[in-house]
Amino acid sequence: MNIHSRAPAAVLLVSVVLPVMVASATPASAHPFGPPATARISVAGSHVALTWLASPDDLVALGVAKGAFADPAPELTGEQKLQRSTVVRDYLISKITVSQGGRPCAGQLASLVGVTDQGARFTFDCPRQVDDLDVTIGALVDLDANYRTVVTADTPGVPMQKLFTATTTTQHLSFSASGGRPAAVVGLAVGLAIGVVAGIGGFVALRVRRRRKSP
């Protein structure tokens, strides 16, 4: 689902879906069999940025399950209650993490304002330059085991995409010198350069020998 199609859904979050779901107090209207949630990850030095984006109805299901709409404040919309819920924030911070060499990277979650369109935006600071990471995404799978998230690496790495499920909430990702050229490409370039230099050296040596032999 693209951003343009999410805008009407965000309106629906407040005007239609929310009252129905809060009244029933169940995440039954969620769509674990629909398009998966998505996430994008990038690294720069020891810094990691990750954005997790779920459909508005699945965010409502999460809010209902975590009691985000129990706030009686009449001046707040359902979306505002979701955004202000410390329980939802704590849940996301605990379910979406990254670690380096077995050590968790310190993470922060930006404001959830605009979460239906922009996603939940995380930043992580790791102890050293990021070449490899263990990424954990366990959001929603405790509501329904059929939820899943497709993660795409914006920084060149192997693999470029990973599927996270209820049975595989942690995956290992490798990056190429924090955004530099992939190691295989760098190695190939170095090998070619060495070969070219060796070839030129051999050619020069051959010309010198021929000149010495000539009368």
Short mmCIF file of all heavy atoms in Angstrom, two decimals, residues 102-145:
data_model
loop_
_atom_site.label_atom_id
_atom_site.label_comp_id
_atom_site.label_asym_id
_atom_site.label_seq_id
_atom_site.Cartn_x
_atom_site.Cartn_y
_atom_site.Cartn_z
N GLY A 102 26.08 -9.26 19.55
CA GLY A 102 25.42 -9.73 20.76
C GLY A 102 25.11 -8.63 21.76
O GLY A 102 24.50 -8.90 22.80
N ARG A 103 25.49 -7.40 21.46
CA ARG A 103 25.23 -6.28 22.36
C ARG A 103 24.14 -5.38 21.78
O ARG A 103 24.25 -4.94 20.63
CB ARG A 103 26.51 -5.46 22.59
CG ARG A 103 27.62 -6.22 23.27
CD ARG A 103 28.85 -5.35 23.39
NE ARG A 103 28.58 -4.11 24.13
CZ ARG A 103 29.48 -3.12 24.26
NH1 ARG A 103 30.67 -3.22 23.67
NH2 ARG A 103 29.16 -2.04 24.94
N PRO A 104 23.09 -5.08 22.55
CA PRO A 104 22.02 -4.21 22.02
C PRO A 104 22.56 -2.82 21.71
O PRO A 104 23.40 -2.28 22.43
CB PRO A 104 21.01 -4.16 23.18
CG PRO A 104 21.33 -5.33 24.04
CD PRO A 104 22.80 -5.56 23.91
N CYS A 105 22.07 -2.25 20.61
CA CYS A 105 22.39 -0.87 20.26
C CYS A 105 21.34 0.04 20.90
O CYS A 105 20.14 -0.26 20.82
CB CYS A 105 22.40 -0.68 18.75
SG CYS A 105 23.65 -1.69 17.89
N ALA A 106 21.78 1.11 21.53
CA ALA A 106 20.85 2.03 22.20
C ALA A 106 19.89 2.62 21.18
O ALA A 106 20.31 3.18 20.16
CB ALA A 106 21.64 3.13 22.90
N GLY A 107 18.59 2.48 21.45
CA GLY A 107 17.58 2.91 20.48
C GLY A 107 16.69 4.01 21.00
O GLY A 107 16.47 4.13 22.20
N GLN A 108 16.19 4.80 20.07
CA GLN A 108 15.22 5.83 20.37
C GLN A 108 14.09 5.76 19.34
O GLN A 108 14.33 5.43 18.17
CB GLN A 108 15.85 7.22 20.33
CG GLN A 108 16.82 7.50 21.47
CD GLN A 108 17.32 8.93 21.47
OE1 GLN A 108 17.38 9.58 20.41
NE2 GLN A 108 17.68 9.45 22.63
N LEU A 109 12.88 6.09 19.79
CA LEU A 109 11.71 6.12 18.91
C LEU A 109 11.22 7.56 18.81
O LEU A 109 10.94 8.19 19.83
CB LEU A 109 10.61 5.21 19.47
CG LEU A 109 9.24 5.25 18.77
CD1 LEU A 109 9.38 4.83 17.30
CD2 LEU A 109 8.24 4.35 19.49
N ALA A 110 11.13 8.07 17.60
CA ALA A 110 10.66 9.43 17.39
C ALA A 110 9.18 9.52 17.73
O ALA A 110 8.51 8.51 17.98
CB ALA A 110 10.90 9.86 15.94
N SER A 111 8.66 10.73 17.73
CA SER A 111 7.23 10.94 17.97
C SER A 111 6.40 10.08 17.02
O SER A 111 6.77 9.89 15.85
CB SER A 111 6.89 12.42 17.76
OG SER A 111 5.50 12.60 17.68
N LEU A 112 5.30 9.56 17.52
CA LEU A 112 4.41 8.75 16.68
C LEU A 112 3.42 9.60 15.89
O LEU A 112 2.55 9.05 15.21
CB LEU A 112 3.65 7.74 17.54
CG LEU A 112 4.50 6.62 18.16
CD1 LEU A 112 3.64 5.70 19.02
CD2 LEU A 112 5.21 5.82 17.08
N VAL A 113 3.55 10.90 15.95
CA VAL A 113 2.71 11.77 15.13
C VAL A 113 2.99 11.46 13.66
O VAL A 113 4.14 11.42 13.22
CB VAL A 113 2.99 13.26 15.42
CG1 VAL A 113 2.25 14.14 14.42
CG2 VAL A 113 2.59 13.60 16.84
N GLY A 114 1.92 11.18 12.90
CA GLY A 114 2.10 10.80 11.50
C GLY A 114 2.45 9.35 11.30
O GLY A 114 2.86 8.95 10.20
N VAL A 115 2.30 8.52 12.33
CA VAL A 115 2.73 7.12 12.23
C VAL A 115 1.98 6.35 11.15
O VAL A 115 2.52 5.42 10.54
CB VAL A 115 2.57 6.41 13.60
CG1 VAL A 115 1.11 6.30 14.01
CG2 VAL A 115 3.24 5.05 13.59
N THR A 116 0.72 6.72 10.87
CA THR A 116 -0.05 5.99 9.86
C THR A 116 0.51 6.19 8.46
O THR A 116 0.37 5.32 7.60
CB THR A 116 -1.53 6.42 9.88
OG1 THR A 116 -1.59 7.85 9.79
CG2 THR A 116 -2.20 5.96 11.15
N ASP A 117 1.14 7.35 8.21
CA ASP A 117 1.70 7.62 6.89
C ASP A 117 3.22 7.47 6.85
O ASP A 117 3.77 7.00 5.85
CB ASP A 117 1.34 9.04 6.43
CG ASP A 117 -0.14 9.19 6.12
OD1 ASP A 117 -0.72 8.21 5.62
OD2 ASP A 117 -0.71 10.26 6.38
N GLN A 118 3.88 7.87 7.93
CA GLN A 118 5.33 7.91 7.93
C GLN A 118 5.97 6.73 8.66
O GLN A 118 7.17 6.50 8.53
CB GLN A 118 5.82 9.21 8.57
CG GLN A 118 5.32 10.46 7.86
CD GLN A 118 5.71 11.72 8.61
OE1 GLN A 118 6.78 11.79 9.24
NE2 GLN A 118 4.86 12.73 8.59
N GLY A 119 5.17 6.00 9.42
CA GLY A 119 5.70 4.87 10.13
C GLY A 119 6.31 5.25 11.47
O GLY A 119 6.41 6.42 11.82
N ALA A 120 6.72 4.24 12.22
CA ALA A 120 7.42 4.44 13.49
C ALA A 120 8.90 4.55 13.17
O ALA A 120 9.50 3.62 12.61
CB ALA A 120 7.15 3.28 14.44
N ARG A 121 9.52 5.68 13.55
CA ARG A 121 10.88 5.98 13.12
C ARG A 121 11.85 5.78 14.29
O ARG A 121 11.78 6.48 15.30
CB ARG A 121 10.94 7.41 12.57
CG ARG A 121 9.98 7.59 11.40
CD ARG A 121 9.89 9.03 10.94
NE ARG A 121 9.40 9.96 11.96
CZ ARG A 121 8.13 10.10 12.29
NH1 ARG A 121 7.19 9.35 11.71
NH2 ARG A 121 7.77 10.98 13.21
N PHE A 122 12.75 4.83 14.10
CA PHE A 122 13.73 4.49 15.14
C PHE A 122 15.13 4.93 14.72
O PHE A 122 15.47 4.93 13.53
CB PHE A 122 13.78 2.97 15.35
CG PHE A 122 12.51 2.37 15.88
CD1 PHE A 122 11.46 2.06 15.02
CD2 PHE A 122 12.36 2.09 17.23
CE1 PHE A 122 10.29 1.48 15.50
CE2 PHE A 122 11.20 1.51 17.72
CZ PHE A 122 10.16 1.22 16.86
N THR A 123 15.94 5.26 15.72
CA THR A 123 17.37 5.45 15.51
C THR A 123 18.11 4.64 16.56
O THR A 123 17.65 4.51 17.71
CB THR A 123 17.79 6.93 15.62
OG1 THR A 123 17.38 7.46 16.88
CG2 THR A 123 17.16 7.74 14.49
N PHE A 124 19.24 4.07 16.17
CA PHE A 124 20.05 3.26 17.07
C PHE A 124 21.51 3.69 16.97
O PHE A 124 22.00 4.00 15.88
CB PHE A 124 19.94 1.77 16.71
CG PHE A 124 18.54 1.22 16.77
CD1 PHE A 124 17.74 1.25 15.63
CD2 PHE A 124 18.03 0.69 17.94
CE1 PHE A 124 16.45 0.74 15.67
CE2 PHE A 124 16.74 0.19 17.98
CZ PHE A 124 15.95 0.21 16.85
N ASP A 125 22.18 3.70 18.10
CA ASP A 125 23.61 3.99 18.15
C ASP A 125 24.33 2.76 18.65
O ASP A 125 24.09 2.30 19.78
CB ASP A 125 23.89 5.19 19.05
CG ASP A 125 23.41 6.49 18.42
OD1 ASP A 125 23.81 6.77 17.28
OD2 ASP A 125 22.62 7.20 19.06
N CYS A 126 25.21 2.22 17.81
CA CYS A 126 25.93 0.99 18.13
C CYS A 126 27.35 1.32 18.63
O CYS A 126 27.85 2.42 18.39
CB CYS A 126 25.99 0.09 16.90
SG CYS A 126 24.35 -0.45 16.34
N PRO A 127 28.00 0.37 19.30
CA PRO A 127 29.33 0.65 19.86
C PRO A 127 30.40 0.96 18.82
O PRO A 127 31.35 1.68 19.11
CB PRO A 127 29.66 -0.65 20.61
CG PRO A 127 28.33 -1.29 20.89
CD PRO A 127 27.48 -0.93 19.71
N ARG A 128 30.27 0.41 17.63
CA ARG A 128 31.31 0.63 16.61
C ARG A 128 30.66 0.68 15.23
O ARG A 128 29.46 0.51 15.09
CB ARG A 128 32.35 -0.49 16.67
CG ARG A 128 31.79 -1.88 16.42
CD ARG A 128 32.85 -2.96 16.56
NE ARG A 128 32.33 -4.28 16.20
CZ ARG A 128 31.64 -5.05 17.02
NH1 ARG A 128 31.37 -4.65 18.25
NH2 ARG A 128 31.21 -6.24 16.62
N GLN A 129 31.47 0.93 14.21
CA GLN A 129 30.96 1.00 12.85
C GLN A 129 30.18 -0.26 12.50
O GLN A 129 30.60 -1.37 12.81
CB GLN A 129 32.10 1.17 11.85
CG GLN A 129 31.63 1.16 10.40
CD GLN A 129 32.72 1.54 9.43
OE1 GLN A 129 33.32 2.60 9.56
NE2 GLN A 129 32.99 0.68 8.46
N VAL A 130 29.06 -0.06 11.86
CA VAL A 130 28.15 -1.17 11.58
C VAL A 130 28.51 -1.85 10.27
O VAL A 130 28.47 -1.23 9.20
CB VAL A 130 26.69 -0.68 11.52
CG1 VAL A 130 25.76 -1.82 11.09
CG2 VAL A 130 26.25 -0.14 12.88
N ASP A 131 28.89 -3.10 10.37
CA ASP A 131 29.07 -3.95 9.19
C ASP A 131 28.07 -5.11 9.21
O ASP A 131 27.65 -5.58 8.16
CB ASP A 131 30.50 -4.51 9.14
CG ASP A 131 31.54 -3.41 8.95
OD1 ASP A 131 31.32 -2.54 8.08
OD2 ASP A 131 32.54 -3.41 9.68
N ASP A 132 27.73 -5.56 10.41
CA ASP A 132 26.77 -6.64 10.59
C ASP A 132 25.83 -6.27 11.73
O ASP A 132 26.24 -5.63 12.70
CB ASP A 132 27.46 -7.97 10.93
CG ASP A 132 28.38 -8.43 9.81
OD1 ASP A 132 29.55 -8.00 9.82
OD2 ASP A 132 27.92 -9.20 8.97
N LEU A 133 24.58 -6.70 11.59
CA LEU A 133 23.59 -6.43 12.62
C LEU A 133 22.65 -7.62 12.76
O LEU A 133 22.36 -8.31 11.79
CB LEU A 133 22.73 -5.22 12.26
CG LEU A 133 23.27 -3.80 12.48
CD1 LEU A 133 22.24 -2.80 12.00
CD2 LEU A 133 23.61 -3.57 13.94
N ASP A 134 22.17 -7.82 13.97
CA ASP A 134 21.04 -8.70 14.21
C ASP A 134 19.83 -7.80 14.44
O ASP A 134 19.81 -7.01 15.39
CB ASP A 134 21.28 -9.61 15.41
CG ASP A 134 22.30 -10.70 15.10
OD1 ASP A 134 22.18 -11.31 14.04
OD2 ASP A 134 23.21 -10.90 15.93
N VAL A 135 18.85 -7.89 13.57
CA VAL A 135 17.66 -7.05 13.62
C VAL A 135 16.49 -7.89 14.13
O VAL A 135 16.26 -8.99 13.64
CB VAL A 135 17.33 -6.46 12.24
CG1 VAL A 135 16.09 -5.59 12.30
CG2 VAL A 135 18.52 -5.67 11.71
N THR A 136 15.78 -7.36 15.11
CA THR A 136 14.61 -8.05 15.66
C THR A 136 13.36 -7.21 15.41
O THR A 136 13.32 -6.03 15.78
CB THR A 136 14.76 -8.29 17.17
OG1 THR A 136 15.89 -9.14 17.40
CG2 THR A 136 13.52 -8.95 17.74
N ILE A 137 12.36 -7.81 14.77
CA ILE A 137 11.07 -7.16 14.58
C ILE A 137 9.98 -8.15 14.98
O ILE A 137 9.67 -9.09 14.24
CB ILE A 137 10.87 -6.70 13.12
CG1 ILE A 137 11.96 -5.67 12.76
CG2 ILE A 137 9.49 -6.09 12.93
CD1 ILE A 137 11.84 -5.10 11.38
N GLY A 138 9.45 -7.93 16.18
CA GLY A 138 8.42 -8.83 16.70
C GLY A 138 7.09 -8.13 16.91
O GLY A 138 6.21 -8.68 17.58
N ALA A 139 6.94 -6.93 16.33
CA ALA A 139 5.68 -6.20 16.49
C ALA A 139 4.54 -6.92 15.79
O ALA A 139 4.71 -7.45 14.68
CB ALA A 139 5.83 -4.78 15.94
N LEU A 140 3.39 -6.95 16.42
CA LEU A 140 2.12 -7.49 15.92
C LEU A 140 2.01 -9.01 16.01
O LEU A 140 0.90 -9.53 16.07
CB LEU A 140 1.84 -7.06 14.47
CG LEU A 140 1.64 -5.56 14.24
CD1 LEU A 140 1.41 -5.30 12.75
CD2 LEU A 140 0.47 -5.02 15.05
N VAL A 141 3.13 -9.74 15.98
CA VAL A 141 3.01 -11.21 15.93
C VAL A 141 2.44 -11.78 17.21
O VAL A 141 1.99 -12.94 17.22
CB VAL A 141 4.37 -11.87 15.59
CG1 VAL A 141 4.83 -11.48 14.20
CG2 VAL A 141 5.42 -11.53 16.63
N ASP A 142 2.46 -11.00 18.31
CA ASP A 142 1.82 -11.48 19.53
C ASP A 142 0.31 -11.29 19.48
O ASP A 142 -0.43 -11.88 20.26
CB ASP A 142 2.41 -10.79 20.76
CG ASP A 142 2.39 -9.27 20.65
OD1 ASP A 142 2.37 -8.76 19.51
OD2 ASP A 142 2.40 -8.60 21.69
N LEU A 143 -0.17 -10.46 18.52
CA LEU A 143 -1.61 -10.31 18.29
C LEU A 143 -2.12 -11.45 17.42
O LEU A 143 -3.19 -11.99 17.65
CB LEU A 143 -1.92 -8.98 17.62
CG LEU A 143 -2.11 -7.75 18.52
CD1 LEU A 143 -0.83 -7.42 19.28
CD2 LEU A 143 -2.56 -6.56 17.70
N ASP A 144 -1.33 -11.78 16.41
CA ASP A 144 -1.68 -12.88 15.50
C ASP A 144 -0.38 -13.37 14.87
O ASP A 144 0.40 -12.58 14.32
CB ASP A 144 -2.64 -12.39 14.42
CG ASP A 144 -3.24 -13.54 13.61
OD1 ASP A 144 -2.46 -14.35 13.05
OD2 ASP A 144 -4.47 -13.64 13.53
N ALA A 145 -0.16 -14.67 14.93
CA ALA A 145 1.09 -15.25 14.44
C ALA A 145 1.24 -15.14 12.93
O ALA A 145 2.32 -15.40 12.39
CB ALA A 145 1.19 -16.73 14.85
#
